[in-house]
């Protein structure tokens, strides 16, 4: 059957890839891991499920340029290794642990082209094409996660989403307080592992886990404040924190409509509520966030032009004043956490 043929081809591809990796003249620790299947593939790297001594791990293979192979201090590869060594491996509860990595110069791994390639800007497309032609790869062995928020089809209850946000916020606070920024936090980069633990101790409070411990993953754009200007670092912190109101706002819309809602700004016919917010001197970005989170029905009508069967209003469980405070205090993770802890 066609399904059987497709499966056979996939198994053959994995076998060929495993053969390529293990026939490298300079055998490394990573060559001792057996590839089981592909987990995920992005614009710049592919993640595989691997096994060694009956234990399973995640293998990330990423094409890099020859100039990056020397790993100069402050380069993306150096930044990721530095972050893992100083933060991720010290705080494994909310980050993936890096076990080992290597760089090979005769890599024949072919990175799949992402579906949204044509939507990327020309510079990013050129960068991807340059890396595709490279024969240099960096390989990393990370601890394994169960899934991520983007592919998590289980609909969480109102308290579970708040506890999720508190865990994510705690991870962001750990990064920022130690002088690092993530710079690429979105649903796909918020992973989780399933747990039997009922509570986590965060901010002096016992936080219900609802069976999941959340971790920030993918550290390819992490950076230390040592290599950033003060204003640049502060802006990056603010971008990291902007995931918080957006995570809460996602429960206004069904997941499949969220991307459309997130990209939407405001139509030419600005509704009265939007104008009212503008008069209160919120800047445009904060204004849009407030508008979509505080007034979902109006946002759907004016921005999306349609209504959905189910609307989960965040104000059913978070007060309007607290939601405004969360958005206004995006630079201050501790203040936001204190607000959310009231709802545990």
């Amino acid at each position: 059957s066609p399904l059987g043929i497709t499966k056979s081809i996939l198994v053959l591809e994995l076998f060929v890839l495993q053969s390529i990796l293990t026939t490298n003249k300079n055998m490394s620790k990573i060559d001792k891991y057996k590839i089981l299947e592909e987990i995920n593939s992005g614009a710049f790297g592919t993640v595989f499920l691997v096994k060694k001594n009956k234990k399973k791990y995640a293998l990330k293979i990423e094409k890099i340029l020859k100039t990056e192979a020397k790993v100069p201090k402050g380069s993306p590869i150096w930044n990721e290794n530095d972050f893992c060594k100083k933060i991720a491996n010290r705080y494994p509860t909310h980050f993936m642990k890096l076990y080992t990595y290597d760089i090979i110069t005769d890599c024949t791994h072919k990175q799949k082209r992402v579906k949204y390639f044509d939507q990327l800007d020309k510079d990013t497309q050129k960068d991807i094409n340059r890396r595709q032609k490279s024969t240099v790869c960096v390989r990393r062995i990370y601890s394994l996660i169960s899934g991520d928020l983007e592919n998590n089809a289980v609909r969480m209850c109102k308290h579970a989403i708040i506890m999720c946000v508190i865990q994510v916020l705690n991870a962001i606070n750990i990064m920022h307080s130690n002088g690092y920024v993530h710079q690429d936090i979105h649903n796909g980069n918020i992973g989780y592992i399933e747990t039997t633990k009922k509570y986590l101790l965060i901010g002096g409070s016992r936080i219900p886990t609802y069976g999941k411990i959340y971790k920030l993953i993918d550290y390819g754009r992490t950076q230390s404040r040592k290599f950033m200007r003060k204003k640049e670092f502060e802006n990056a912190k603010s971008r990291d924190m902007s995931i918080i109101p957006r995570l809460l706002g996602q429960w206004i819309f069904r997941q499949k409509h969220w991307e459309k809602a997130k990209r939407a700004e405001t139509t030419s016919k600005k509704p009265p509520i939007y104008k009212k917010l503008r008069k209160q001197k919120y800047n445009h970005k904060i204004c849009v966030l407030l508008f979509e989170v505080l007034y979902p029905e109006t946002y759907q009508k004016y921005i999306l032009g349609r209504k959905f069967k189910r609307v989960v209003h965040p104000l059913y469980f978070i007060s309007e004043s607290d939601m405004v405070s969360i958005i206004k205090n995006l630079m201050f993770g501790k203040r936001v956490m204190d607000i959310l802890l009231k709802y545990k």
Side-chain angles (χ1 to χ4, degrees):
S1 66
L3 182 61
I5 294 170
T6 305
K7 203 169 183 180
S8 299
I9 292 170
L10 182 59
V11 171
L12 181 62
E13 285 179 352
L14 291 173
F15 175 76
V16 171
L17 178 61
Q18 182 72 46
S19 301
I20 290 166
L21 295 179
T22 54
T23 52
N24 185 3
K25 292 179 182 179
N26 299 316
M27 294 283 284
S28 75
K29 292 179 181 178
I30 292 179
D31 295 317
K32 296 177 182 178
Y33 291 81
K34 182 182 179 182
I35 294 177
L36 301 178
E37 62 178 332
E38 181 182 314
I39 298 175
N40 199 4
S41 181
F44 295 97
T46 304
V47 180
F48 295 93
L49 176 66
V50 295
K51 185 179 179 181
K52 182 186 176 185
N53 298 333
K54 298 183 180 181
K55 290 185 179 181
K56 293 180 180 179
Y57 304 87
L59 165 64
K60 181 182 176 183
I61 302 178
E62 185 180 355
K63 283 285 190 80
I64 61 173
L65 304 175
K66 287 184 179 180
T67 53
E68 296 174 323
K70 296 178 181 178
V71 194
K73 198 171 184 178
S75 66
I77 298 175
W78 188 91
N79 285 335
E80 185 166 352
N81 292 344
D82 178 61
F83 170 75
C84 289
K85 181 181 178 181
K86 294 180 179 177
I87 305 299
N89 289 3
R90 282 177 57 199
Y91 302 95
T93 302
H94 290 312
F95 300 97
M96 293 172 68
K97 185 176 179 180
L98 175 66
Y99 290 96
T100 186
Y101 89 100
D102 68 8
I103 295 174
I104 55 175
T105 57
D106 55 352
C107 178
T108 56
H109 167 67
K110 291 184 179 180
Q111 182 65 30
K112 294 178 182 177
R113 180 163 289 191
V114 289
K115 294 179 181 178
Y116 53 86
F117 180 83
D118 294 332
Q119 298 173 17
L120 300 170
D121 60 80
K122 290 183 179 180
D123 290 337
T124 304
Q125 289 181 2
K126 287 180 182 178
D127 188 32
I128 291 172
N129 290 332
R130 282 169 60 208
R131 291 172 186 277
Q132 282 281 24
K133 296 174 184 177
S134 174
T135 59
V136 185
C137 284
V138 58
R139 305 183 300 178
R140 291 185 173 90
I141 297 292
Y142 278 107
S143 56
L144 201 59
I145 59 171
S146 304
D148 57 55
L149 282 184
E150 190 169 358
N151 298 317
N152 181 15
V154 180
R155 188 177 291 275
M156 289 184 274
C157 67
K158 63 182 182 180
H159 288 106
I161 185 62
I162 294 178
M163 296 309 105
C164 164
V165 170
I166 289 175
Q167 288 192 48
V168 172
L169 186 55
N170 189 49
I172 295 173
N173 284 340
I174 289 170
M175 289 192 74
H176 292 178
S177 61
N178 284 280
Y180 290 88
V181 283
H182 190 285
Q183 302 192 100
D184 193 24
I185 303 178
H186 54 79
N187 274 19
N189 282 342
I190 299 174
Y192 65 84
I193 60 168
E194 294 174 347
T195 181
T196 55
K197 289 183 179 180
K198 291 186 176 181
Y199 299 95
L200 283 180
L201 189 63
I202 297 176
S205 299
R206 291 205 314 164
I207 305 300
T209 63
Y210 289 92
K212 289 183 175 67
I213 295 177
Y214 294 91
K215 299 171 179 278
L216 293 183
I217 64 176
D218 193 352
Y219 314 123
R221 294 180 63 182
T222 54
Q223 205 166 358
S224 169
R225 118 177 101 198
K226 295 176 183 177
F227 302 98
M228 304 175 76
R229 295 178 181 176
K230 186 177 179 181
K231 189 174 182 180
E232 187 183 7
F233 182 71
E234 294 301 317
N235 288 338
K237 283 171 61 179
S238 181
R239 286 193 297 273
D240 282 354
M241 286 291 292
S242 68
I243 188 64
I244 303 305
R246 291 205 176 278
L247 273 175
L248 294 170
Q250 283 183 37
W251 301 96
I252 300 168
F253 306 102
R254 292 179 181 178
Q255 183 64 33
K256 64 180 180 180
H257 299 294
W258 175 248
E259 285 300 319
K260 183 179 177 182
K262 188 172 69 173
R263 292 193 185 99
E265 287 295 316
T266 52
T267 59
S268 55
K269 297 178 181 179
K270 291 185 173 62
I273 295 173
Y274 184 88
K275 290 180 179 178
K276 183 181 176 182
L277 288 169
R278 289 295 285 167
K279 285 181 180 178
Q280 294 176 2
K281 296 182 179 179
Y282 292 113
N283 66 42
H284 180 71
K285 187 175 180 180
I286 289 180
C287 181
V288 171
L289 275 171
L290 281 170
F291 184 44
E292 68 185 60
V293 173
L294 298 178
Y295 306 101
E297 292 86 359
T298 309
Y299 184 72
Q300 287 178 136
K301 180 180 176 182
Y302 282 89
I303 305 303
L304 303 180
R306 60 176 295 183
K307 290 187 177 181
F308 303 123
K309 291 180 181 178
R310 180 178 178 181
V311 175
V312 182
H313 202 309
L315 295 187
Y316 291 162
F317 52 95
I318 296 181
S319 70
E320 181 172 345
S321 60
D322 280 346
M323 184 61 75
V324 173
S325 296
I326 287 170
I327 296 171
K328 287 175 71 177
N329 285 293
L330 287 183
M331 292 288 285
F332 306 101
K334 182 65 170 62
R335 294 183 194 175
V336 176
M337 187 180 289
D338 288 343
I339 293 167
L340 289 174
L341 282 172
K342 295 193 301 185
Y343 296 93
K344 68 179 177 66

